[in-house]
Amino acid sequence: MKKTSLLLMLLILTGIGITISCEPDDICPESTPTTPSLIIDVYDVDNPENIKAVTNLLVGGVDNDNVLPGYAIATSTQIVLPLKTDADTTQYVLIKGAFVNNNGTPDDTSDDYIDGNTDIITINYTREEVYVSRACGYKTIYKNVTLTIEPENNDENWIKSRQPLNDNQSVEDETETHFNIFH
């Protein structure tokens, strides 16, 4: 009888010990800030205090055919761009007044292409990995961020200038604008 009570007590204590030592599932909550995107507000070059929407804007990565979700010929006053976490430079093609040019053959879509006023921007930065939590892992923040508008022949850039909101601009969250561009 003593052996049975001792064994029962040992089993109960072992069960309690296992239950207490278990941790809840490690799931990163959606509300946890992770790697931020670069936020750009768009202003009127002739009246720099006024926000001015870019009409028929298409945004895609340089050297790929992927269009950034939400920017497939859309009108916008703010552009949110994800930055690469495995490189110190990210380039985007921004096309203002974008449209599908059917190349004079409306029945043949195989020769269609996107047309419009194309500008290329280059974003350079230094990456820093920051620990968030065991469930979420690490996020990348970006320091010393610069944005360059690649010049076109005949000065035909639709983006006339850009302005960082801070000296030594960093991208650490998505709650504030990082750059303004003027067109």
Side-chain angles (χ1 to χ4, degrees):
M1 180 86 162
K2 245 182 176 187
K3 277 187 170 183
T4 307
S5 338
L6 188 59
L7 184 59
L8 185 59
M9 183 69 87
L10 186 60
L11 285 173
I12 291 172
L13 288 174
T14 303
I16 291 172
I18 290 173
T19 304
I20 291 173
S21 67
C22 289
E23 294 186 23
D25 288 338
D26 284 336
I27 298 173
C28 186
E30 294 228 6
S31 61
T32 302
T34 55
T35 298
S37 295
L38 178 76
I39 300 175
I40 301 171
D41 284 341
V42 184
Y43 286 87
D44 185 346
V45 70
D46 295 324
N47 194 350
E49 300 298 316
N50 291 343
I51 289 179
K52 181 180 177 184
V54 181
T55 56
N56 297 330
L57 176 67
L58 185 136
V59 179
V62 170
D63 295 329
N64 70 49
D65 294 329
N66 298 327
V67 174
L68 200 62
Y71 298 103
I73 308 182
T75 297
S76 184
T77 59
Q78 188 175 72
I79 304 168
V80 180
L81 302 174
L83 302 176
K84 293 180 180 177
T85 58
D86 61 352
D88 292 332
T89 299
T90 303
Q91 285 190 305
Y92 282 100
V93 175
L94 285 75
I95 304 174
K96 177 182 177 180
F99 65 96
V100 177
N101 187 324
N102 67 15
N103 207 18
T105 57
D107 296 331
D108 180 9
T109 59
S110 67
D111 62 351
D112 292 357
Y113 60 95
I114 300 293
D115 207 350
N117 191 341
T118 302
D119 280 1
I120 296 175
I121 60 170
T122 301
I123 305 152
N124 292 303
Y125 43 83
T126 304
R127 294 169 285 136
E128 183 179 318
E129 297 287 318
V130 176
Y131 182 74
V132 177
S133 69
R134 188 171 83 178
C136 299
Y138 288 84
K139 72 176 184 177
T140 302
I141 60 172
Y142 306 94
K143 303 280 188 171
N144 303 314
V145 181
T146 62
L147 187 150
T148 305
I149 306 160
E150 300 300 327
E152 288 185 27
N153 295 335
N154 304 325
D155 194 35
E156 293 183 9
N157 287 85
W158 67 267
I159 303 173
K160 300 302 180 189
S161 66
R162 50 89 183 112
Q163 175 186 36
L165 266 58
N166 297 306
D167 292 334
N168 293 326
Q169 182 64 56
S170 64
V171 177
E172 298 184 25
D173 62 43
E174 291 183 335
T175 60
E176 61 185 32
T177 299
H178 305 107
F179 281 87
N180 292 333
I181 60 173
F182 300 89
H183 73 109

